Amino acid sequence: MNCVAEPESVEIVSATRVSVRYCELKRSGGFPTVEIRRSAEERLLKRLYCDQRDLLEGMEIREAPLWHKGLAGSLYRDQLGRPRLSVARGTGPSVSFTFLGDRVWCALCPGPQMVGIDAAHRKEFGVDYPLRRAFHHMELCACLDLAGSYPAEAAATIWSVKEAVVKALGCGFRLLDPLDLETRPTGLSGEYLQFSVHFSERAMQRYPTIASGPVAAANTNKNGIRLSFAAVDSRRATEVGMAALRERRSREVSGSTNCLEPGAGSVFGSETL
């Protein structure tokens, strides 16, 4: 792998800051292997931990400091598939990963929020992409002027925002439809577009905790890649995520499937949280 990029600090909402790093993957051909991806995750998280050491030291990361023993036994995934750091007391800080091409990003939120990060490129949204199945007409129109006046650029922006939100919530697009979310731009903070993400009535009926209000998110353009971040109150995310987990298990028992379940030919592939 190449050198890990310098850290960035993103303010999603007032007093909620997320630290971000990325690195580039070296591969001989094809998609990066699981081992390469996991190695990248560990390397990035180690660096982010060092960046935030003063804030995280009191959490007593299990197994010893990360720079001594790596992440063996310290990085795990909860029941919802979200990566977390194991700590001696309580739950560790929220982390999230996203991959696109030869790059992997890692976001860490030292506060009480759950973080989600996602990357998308306009090439993923060609002329044959079923935009109406994933985006509201009004949200595409509202994003056009902000994201370069190209429909594919607006689609990549909105999609990455929605993915970041469902990652933070822990429910994913296996149980929520992309049209259950509606993005609304709220302003510009430096290089970051700020969004307020609202939920459909159907989504609020299925997951009442969502009804507590919209979710804040931020998006930026990194060399043609739309990179988004979202932060959700941890209690809210846990309640939504556990409700989604119960629903998924119920469907597995009954043998029913969801039309948005990722798989061959699906346009709604949801990556690792």
Side-chain angles (χ1 to χ4, degrees), residues 82-244:
R82 295 177 298 200
R84 302 301 300 269
L85 283 175
S86 177
V87 297
R89 294 187 297 273
T91 304
S94 172
V95 294
S96 184
F97 300 97
T98 188
F99 294 82
L100 187 64
D102 292 328
R103 286 192 176 186
V104 53
W105 288 264
C106 177
L108 181 147
C109 184
Q113 292 81 15
M114 299 296 291
V115 65
I117 182 173
D118 191 69
H121 194 280
R122 62 179 178 271
K123 290 181 179 179
E124 301 175 62
F125 303 90
V127 294
D128 295 328
Y129 191 90
L131 295 177
R132 292 182 179 180
R133 290 183 58 193
F135 309 110
H136 298 280
H137 176 71
M138 292 303 296
E139 66 181 350
L140 279 172
C141 291
C143 194
L144 276 175
D145 291 338
L146 298 173
S149 299
Y150 296 102
E153 191 76 18
T157 300
I158 297 170
W159 180 261
S160 65
V161 169
K162 291 185 177 187
E163 273 275 15
V165 169
V166 295
K167 283 184 178 182
L169 285 172
C171 56
F173 282 136
R174 289 177 173 84
L175 297 171
L176 271 183
D177 190 291
L179 291 176
D180 283 329
L181 286 70
E182 181 182 355
T183 62
R184 302 177 188 176
T186 58
L188 187 65
S189 177
E191 66 176 282
Y192 294 94
L193 297 174
Q194 302 291 321
F195 287 88
S196 177
V197 182
H198 299 252
F199 299 93
S200 69
E201 183 176 346
R202 186 185 73 154
M204 290 189 288
Q205 289 175 346
R206 291 173 69 184
Y207 308 119
T209 311
I210 285 179
S212 59
V215 171
N219 174 276
T220 187
N221 186 335
K222 294 293 185 183
N223 299 317
I225 294 172
R226 306 304 307 198
L227 193 65
S228 292
F229 316 88
V232 181
D233 175 77
S234 59
R235 180 177 178 180
R236 181 184 186 188
T238 298
E239 291 179 0
V240 173
M242 293 309 295

